[in-house]
Amino acid sequence: MLLRLATAAVGIPLLAAAIWFGNPWFAILLSVIALAAGWEFLNLPRRADVRPLRLFGLLGVLLFTLNGLGLTGTDYTWPLLSAVVALSLLLLLLRGPAEGAAVGWAWTLAGILYVGWTLGHAARLEMRPDGPGWLLFLLLTTFSVDSAAFLVGRAWGRRRLAPAISPGKTWEGAFAGFVAGVAVAPVLGVLLALPLSIAEGLGLGAGMAVLAQLGDLAESLLKRSVGVKDAGVLVPGHGGVLDRYDSIVFPLLLVYYYVVLFKG
């Protein structure tokens, strides 16, 4: 618990500063996060003797992430997607052997999409005039959900939520996380001066709370499939970067498309 608090005390202000001051600091930090999370993801299947294209996958993760920042003024999403599908297959063909190639290809594409494609949404959100506020809203709400679920689950959790996937998760913790999301989101909407009514804040908070915990379970499912508990060790008290990102990825997509579709 002390490690988790110490990590939060350092990590949250660093993230908030990079978001608030924008580029180049945001681009640098987002690239570091993307490469670290991508490396951890592409290392997971190697525990099960599956060999994805790690360097190619990392390049794809970085390019998709940077594409979201719009640094060149052109959106290269479709050419990038076409390139990673075709070139990854060609590289596997050249590398050989045939055994395990399909699974390695699937893990390579999954890493690029799960990390690079989704982080590109954070980059696009940051580029909006009101983007920094929305990103802070996303991160602080999600961290509140995580913290409430962890603390209540550790203290009072009795009924296992998904014992075959993540034995530490409990229904009591999940409910506490849900309450935290619903309570915190409307308050943050006001504090960050976002164009968000109380009703919208309650709805977004509820959706983010559910999706954050489903995202955590989804990553646990992937780790469990290859016999791994933590994706890495770079974030003391939490595991790896991927173990922190897992609960953000689904809420990020929800917030991004909500803002794009309903906030202009």
Side-chain angles (χ1 to χ4, degrees):
M1 188 60 196
L2 289 176
L3 277 175
R4 291 175 72 95
L5 291 174
T7 300
V10 174
I12 292 177
L14 181 63
L15 278 170
I19 290 169
W20 197 254
F21 289 109
N23 290 326
W25 312 112
F26 180 76
I28 293 170
L29 183 61
L30 195 66
S31 297
V32 170
I33 291 172
L35 289 173
W39 179 260
E40 291 174 351
F41 187 98
L42 292 166
N43 267 333
L44 288 178
R46 295 180 72 88
R47 315 286 180 88
D49 294 324
V50 175
R51 296 172 59 212
L53 298 164
R54 284 191 296 182
L55 294 181
F56 178 84
L58 284 178
L59 178 62
V61 164
L62 184 60
L63 289 176
F64 265 106
T65 302
L66 294 178
N67 179 59
L69 291 169
L71 300 177
T72 63
T74 303
D75 186 355
Y76 290 102
T77 298
W78 293 111
L80 278 174
L81 186 58
S82 301
V84 299
V85 170
L87 291 178
S88 56
L89 273 175
L90 290 175
L91 288 174
L92 284 169
L93 180 63
L94 293 172
R95 186 183 73 176
E99 183 181 358
V103 181
W105 184 56
W107 274 94
T108 301
L109 294 183
I112 293 172
L113 295 176
Y114 181 75
V115 180
W117 167 260
T118 54
L119 270 178
H121 290 75
R124 288 182 172 85
L125 197 56
E126 169 73 8
M127 294 301 102
R128 291 174 54 94
D130 57 356
W134 283 110
L135 276 179
L136 289 174
F137 170 82
L138 164 74
L139 292 176
L140 294 175
T141 301
T142 305
F143 290 160
S144 299
V145 171
D146 274 353
S147 298
F150 176 78
L151 292 172
V152 172
R154 286 287 296 271
W156 296 290
R158 295 294 180 270
R159 292 173 292 179
R160 303 299 176 188
L161 178 62
I165 298 173
S166 185
K169 301 287 190 301
T170 65
W171 281 103
E172 291 83 359
F175 179 73
F178 180 81
V179 171
V182 172
V184 168
V187 175
L188 286 174
V190 173
L191 293 177
L192 295 170
L194 295 173
L196 198 66
S197 69
I198 298 299
E200 288 175 309
L202 291 170
L204 267 183
M208 292 167 68
V210 172
L211 290 176
Q213 298 184 74
L214 289 177
D216 195 334
L217 288 173
E219 194 234 2
S220 294
L221 176 66
L222 294 177
K223 291 187 295 185
R224 182 72 60 180
S225 70
V226 294
V228 175
K229 181 180 182 296
D230 292 324
V233 295
L234 291 177
V235 186
H238 296 275
V241 174
L242 198 66
D243 297 314
R244 283 280 25 159
Y245 181 59
D246 59 3
S247 60
I248 295 174
V249 56
F250 291 167
L252 166 60
L253 298 177
L254 172 64
V255 170
Y256 175 82
Y257 287 108
Y258 184 83
V259 172
V260 168
L261 293 174
F262 298 106
K263 301 301 176 182

